[in-house]
Amino acid sequence: MQNLILIVDDDESLRRVFAAVLEKAGYHTVKARNGKEALDVAQKVDADVILLDIFLGDANGLELIDKIQKYNRNSSIIIVTAHGTTQTAIDSAKHRAYGYLTKPVDTKQLLDLIARAASAANQTKLAQTSQPKIEIERHGKIVGQSFAMQAVYQMIGRAAVSDETVLILGESGTGKELVSQLIHQNSQRANNPFVVVDCGAIPPTLIESALFGHVKGAYTDARTSRKGKFEQADSGTIFLDEIAELPAEVQVKLLRVLQEREVEPVGSNQRHTVNVRIIAATNRHLEVAVEQKAFREELYYRLNVVPIVIPPLRERKEDIPELVELFTQRFVEEYKLPKIGISTDAMQQLTAYDWPGNVRELENAIKRAFVMCSGQMLLPEHFTHAGTNLQADTGAIEKSSPVTDATHFNEQVYALLYAQLESYLEQQTGEGELYAEIRAVFEKPLFKIVLEHTKKNQSKAASLLGINRNTLHTKLIEYELN
């Protein structure tokens, strides 16, 4: 049986285009140009899928969802908008929309989503539900309008209107804490505590007390009783970051909290009831940890009620320009600078890089570029040590950009040295090796340039450098330039 698609959009040309694409794919279509027509049609036909624009002239598409579903209870509603933001994506999910697309709409994405939405309608998955109207005060911001992130926003919205335990999965730097904040801020607990616990940052000997509290005299230096993070989060949300780092004995107590909603402070035999929504996160594969007996299987299943997977930045590179704009604006305000732009070449380099450290690495790269930049434009040279390979070969000096100003040259040298120092400290290299590293970084390209200038005449090169030929020969062997 062919599915019926209701297309609601105030743009006549888009209605025709959507109808043509869908009818070619084998669907029946019916069209409405505004909110009033949409409600009239919804009363007369039982549409399986409804493509619904937000701005309809006489109505807001999001506000129409509940009204339409009174007549088409089993329909899958897909919000389509040319003014997509993170908030509208979240709001569409809060209003129980099946999906979310931004214009211009990719035909393949449209057909894929329609097929899934039609299947959902056929299986009567969408039921009429009451939904709280919650005003959101946004403390964090997740940026990205990619298809992958739209799916995340949908999951955030759906998780927010329930009180089930959420497990956020994603690589380091993808924004797991921001996702947890958005779930809390959009939930019925939004006005209550939001408590963050980094399970990997607290020593194993202290994590149990930190989570569940302790009574006076429970251990050395426990001079007073203290509430743990669970009791501090009572009536609100607790975010357990890096949950895989919990010691085995603490996993047992956490499992008890999930099962019985009670905590037992260290040194006490009394239990306290807590009303807490639990959100956990990890960058590890918990299934593997379970197989290796490093993580309790029962705890994994208790946590993995509503899983949300955050895509790595390399899988949503179309979001990079928006992220760059966000960070540049933020740092302009933070450093009290005039507006700073970014060159096309630099943006292309940033977009081409895979960002193993994800959004956090990109943010740090922009911050470092601001430190390096002394003008009004971020250039590729300002990302020398962003890990982005913008100028990965420090031995290459582009002849198209000769350095003619001594002051600018000194600034560039300073920037390179500063970046090399940062790299050295990040790598935690052994003490006493910094000078050797810096010397190697600058000597190798110097010898290479001089050899090119002298057409590999080592006698002339040694004379130009002011060193003897034996020293030059040794250096050439060391740097593999002979």
Side-chain angles (χ1 to χ4, degrees):
M1 184 179 71
Q2 291 177 314
N3 292 108
L4 178 63
I5 315 297
L6 169 58
I7 303 167
V8 185
D9 200 299
D10 61 348
D11 188 323
E12 183 180 356
S13 62
L14 277 177
R15 293 198 302 272
R16 288 202 305 266
V17 169
F18 284 152
V21 169
L22 294 172
E23 288 171 5
K24 184 178 180 181
Y27 297 101
H28 288 307
T29 65
V30 61
K31 299 183 282 291
R33 62 183 175 182
N34 55 40
K36 182 179 182 303
E37 284 191 8
L39 290 175
D40 289 342
V41 173
Q43 293 179 62
K44 297 173 183 176
V45 303
D46 185 16
D48 298 297
V49 181
I50 301 173
L51 284 178
L52 182 60
D53 191 15
I54 291 181
F55 299 104
L56 294 169
D58 68 337
N60 180 301
L62 293 173
E63 295 172 357
L64 280 178
I65 292 179
D66 290 341
K67 296 177 182 178
I68 290 175
Q69 287 186 331
K70 288 179 181 178
Y71 307 114
N72 284 218
R73 294 177 60 87
N74 298 328
S75 63
S76 300
I77 296 180
I78 298 172
I79 292 294
V80 184
T81 180
H83 307 281
T85 65
T86 299
Q87 194 58 55
T88 56
I90 292 174
D91 285 343
S92 72
K94 288 177 63 179
H95 283 277
R96 310 301 295 172
Y98 180 83
Y100 182 89
L101 290 170
T102 55
K103 301 174 184 176
V105 175
D106 179 84
T107 301
K108 185 179 184 303
Q109 290 180 354
L110 172 66
L111 291 176
D112 287 347
L113 187 55
I114 287 286
R116 288 187 281 115
S119 175
N122 293 340
Q123 298 175 52
T124 323
K125 285 185 176 179
L126 291 180
Q128 180 69 22
T129 58
S130 59
Q131 203 151 321
K133 304 284 185 179
I134 304 172
E135 290 294 324
I136 303 167
E137 182 181 0
R138 202 179 333 179
H139 300 290
K141 184 175 183 181
I142 298 180
V143 166
Q145 296 305 315
S146 62
F147 197 65
M149 287 307 295
Q150 299 300 337
V152 172
Y153 302 146
Q154 289 283 307
M155 288 302 299
I156 291 172
R158 288 173 181 147
V161 296
S162 76
D163 209 34
E164 297 297 336
T165 302
V166 177
L167 179 61
I168 304 173
L169 304 168
E171 297 176 5
S172 294
T174 50
K176 295 187 288 294
E177 185 173 339
L178 284 177
V179 169
S180 71
Q181 289 174 353
L182 280 173
I183 294 171
H184 174 74
Q185 291 163 11
N186 283 275
S187 74
Q188 297 183 65
R189 298 175 180 265
N191 295 323
N192 299 323
F194 177 74
V195 176
V196 178
V197 182
D198 187 342
C199 300
I202 303 175
T205 54
L206 299 178
I207 186 67
E208 183 178 0
S209 173
L211 289 174
F212 311 117
H214 63 258
V215 297
K216 181 179 179 180
Y219 55 86
T220 305
D221 295 331
R223 298 183 179 88
T224 60
S225 297
R226 184 176 179 181
K227 289 184 177 181
K229 298 294 185 181
F230 273 93
E231 287 189 85
Q232 293 173 31
D234 196 26
S235 77
T237 303
I238 188 168
F239 174 54
L240 303 176
D241 198 9
E242 302 304 338
I243 191 72
E245 305 304 318
L246 282 181
E249 61 274 15
V250 180
Q251 291 181 30
V252 174
K253 294 195 71 170
L254 177 58
L255 182 60
R256 186 180 304 140
V257 175
L258 285 161
Q259 291 172 335
E260 303 172 12
R261 299 294 165 175
E262 293 180 339
V263 296
E264 183 178 317
V266 176
S268 173
N269 56 9
Q270 299 293 319
R271 295 182 181 181
H272 307 293
T273 301
V274 289
N275 174 20
V276 177
R277 202 272 179 83
I278 298 173
I279 301 176
T282 181
N283 59 6
R284 292 174 55 185
H285 294 287
L286 287 184
E287 300 95 332
V288 175
V290 168
E291 291 176 2
Q292 297 173 344
K293 308 300 182 183
F295 199 84
R296 294 186 68 89
E297 185 175 16
E298 313 98 297
L299 179 57
Y300 168 64
Y301 290 123
R302 285 281 184 176
L303 292 172
N304 195 32
V305 178
V306 182
I308 298 179
V309 180
I310 308 177
L313 190 53
R314 64 181 172 274
E315 293 180 6
R316 57 182 189 105
K317 288 188 174 183
E318 60 268 43
D319 291 333
I320 289 177
E322 193 176 351
L323 285 162
V324 171
E325 178 67 19
L326 170 70
F327 294 138
T328 53
Q329 288 181 357
R330 179 184 299 172
F331 297 141
V332 161
E333 295 173 4
E334 181 179 332
Y335 299 145
K336 296 180 173 57
L337 296 171
K339 182 172 176 60
I340 292 180
I342 182 167
S343 72
T344 302
D345 288 345
M347 183 65 80
Q348 289 175 348
Q349 297 276 20
L350 295 178
T351 305
Y353 182 56
D354 275 347
W355 300 105
N358 293 295
V359 178
R360 185 182 297 127
E361 183 185 2
L362 175 60
E363 180 181 9
N364 289 336
I366 300 295
K367 184 180 292 186
R368 184 182 293 114
F370 265 74
V371 174
M372 302 301 180
C373 179
S374 58
Q376 303 302 310
M377 186 70 64
L378 297 180
L379 304 172
E381 66 196 55
H382 299 133
F383 296 91
T384 302
H385 190 67
T388 56
N389 248 353
L390 296 181
Q391 288 187 342
D393 183 4
T394 55
I397 296 180
E398 299 180 13
K399 293 182 179 180
S400 59
S401 303
V403 179
T404 57
D405 182 81
T407 301
H408 184 55
F409 174 75
N410 289 336
E411 288 177 352
Q412 287 185 316
V413 171
Y414 181 86
L416 287 169
L417 287 169
Y418 189 90
Q420 197 68 25
L421 173 61
E422 279 195 334
S423 172
Y424 179 83
L425 294 175
E426 288 173 1
Q427 294 170 10
Q428 297 181 335
T429 310
E431 293 184 3
E433 299 176 9
L434 177 60
Y435 175 70
E437 278 198 18
I438 295 294
R439 185 181 63 185
V441 166
F442 284 91
E443 274 191 344
K444 180 176 179 178
L446 175 61
F447 291 144
K448 183 178 179 181
I449 292 168
V450 171
L451 281 172
E452 289 173 354
H453 176 74
T454 60
K455 298 181 180 179
K456 296 190 177 181
N457 187 315
Q458 293 189 15
S459 295
K460 289 183 179 180
S463 177
L464 182 59
L465 289 165
I467 59 177
N468 65 54
R469 188 172 175 178
N470 288 336
T471 300
L472 175 62
H473 184 68
T474 301
K475 290 292 184 181
L476 297 182
I477 292 174
E478 180 183 348
Y479 297 132
E480 299 180 347
L481 292 174
N482 58 337

